[in-house]
Amino acid sequence: MMNNDDFEQLVYKKADKLKSHDRHMKMLRISVVPVAAAFVIMSLIGINSINLPSQMSSSENLIAEANRSNNANETYDKKSDSLQLDDEYQTPLNEVGELAEATSAYNAGEIDVEKSAENDVADHSQYVDSIASESVTFKANDTITITDQSAVDEICQSLSNPLSEYVGNASQFMCVIMINNTEYRIYHDKVKVLYNGSVSGEFDLSEDTKNVLQKYFPIVF
Amino acid sequence: MSFADYAFRQYLDGDKNAFKIIINEFHDPLIFFINSYVKNVDTAEDIAADCFAELIARPHKFGFKSSLKSYIFSIAHHMAVDHIRKYSRLSLIENESQFVADDDYSTIEESMIKDERSRRLHDALPKLNDNYRTALMLVYFEGMSYAEVAQSMKKSVKQVDNYVTRGKTALKKILAEEGFQYDE
């Protein structure tokens, strides 16, 4: 048998172990209960996954914002991550590759995209049937949203703008690019920068910028 | 409020040395009580340490609803029974013949068993069923009242009374079979 001091030490050691165990169990209960409750609630209301605002990509946020504020004739379909244009403009051409292809076919404010677009929209099979059945036409003032991040980065870099999303709007100017509240009016040889409708700057349009814009946008300089 | 209860109150109020009083008060009776179940002094000592540790780590469970003595023997009873259940399945519990008491435990035993009559009673107790044995141990060796035993065993006083009565009858029968002569 142990002497009294050793026994006392053993008691306190066991007590510390018990306390530590209790703390651990308490933490487990704290962390498990809300998660379990959340899953129960989700299952009750039929939600299979949560997309928190912080987890949404910046492009999704900006596109949603752009859709809300600027475009009366388009809606952003979050589920399919694609842009839908109203009526005769309905098209899956929200992918950069498709826009680049459209650019090459662009002619004096009007382009035709034939059934070959089917190949480019394999990921959007729900639209394939409608695309196959009709030609798509771009006109002046059409609004195009580019969601491809690398394309957006390239365009923003060409405009020396650090923002990461833009909505282009073909108009009587060569092109108008909206990045949040900043408007870039693209002319043949210059870019005017407007902030909240007021001109805040102007710079020459370089050949590099032209190339980048031409790559992604139906512009002929 | 007993002296042990008062000491525990002082411990909860921040007097860490007060717990030494509690350990000194219950160390020997607990080991003696637990050993009657587990038949191994070292194991009994370890379980006794677990009982005190439980008191330190989860003092809110006590709450002074019963006497500290009832509470700590209640813990000891449950822990001893759990130990037997756990290790009997693994066939690790030592049988009585393997148990050799060391000097320290002999001292404890001597302090708990005052005379030959008590020793015969103690030796016969393991032959009783668990409830009879616990009730008799707590009443006759720990000097607890029926009410305290009832709190300790989480039974009613009436049930404890029955356990003690039936336990004594069973014990009498066992002792008679062993040739023990006792005064009526």
Side-chain angles (χ1 to χ4, degrees), chain A residues 104-162:
Chain A
S104 65
Y106 180 79
N107 182 16
E110 182 173 301
I111 59 168
D112 289 332
V113 180
E114 300 297 337
K115 290 182 180 179
S116 61
E118 280 182 43
N119 296 330
D120 300 320
V121 294
D123 293 336
H124 301 275
S125 57
Q126 65 267 41
Y127 297 114
V128 166
D129 291 342
S130 62
I131 294 303
S133 65
E134 63 182 88
S135 297
V136 180
T137 303
F138 271 106
K139 294 176 181 173
N141 294 324
D142 285 351
T143 300
I144 300 164
T145 301
I146 294 182
T147 56
D148 183 275
Q149 192 61 44
S150 61
V152 170
D153 289 343
E154 194 176 1
I155 291 162
C156 288
Q157 195 177 358
S158 76
L159 291 167
S160 303
N161 191 299

Side-chain angles (χ1 to χ4, degrees), chain B residues 76-101:
Chain B
H77 175 240
H78 285 113
M79 285 186 174
V81 170
D82 281 350
H83 177 86
I84 291 167
R85 282 185 189 143
K86 187 175 175 184
Y87 287 93
S88 62
R89 282 199 296 272
L90 300 172
S91 302
L92 290 177
I93 193 151
E94 296 178 31
N95 61 41
E96 208 169 347
S97 61
Q98 290 173 302
F99 167 62
V100 179

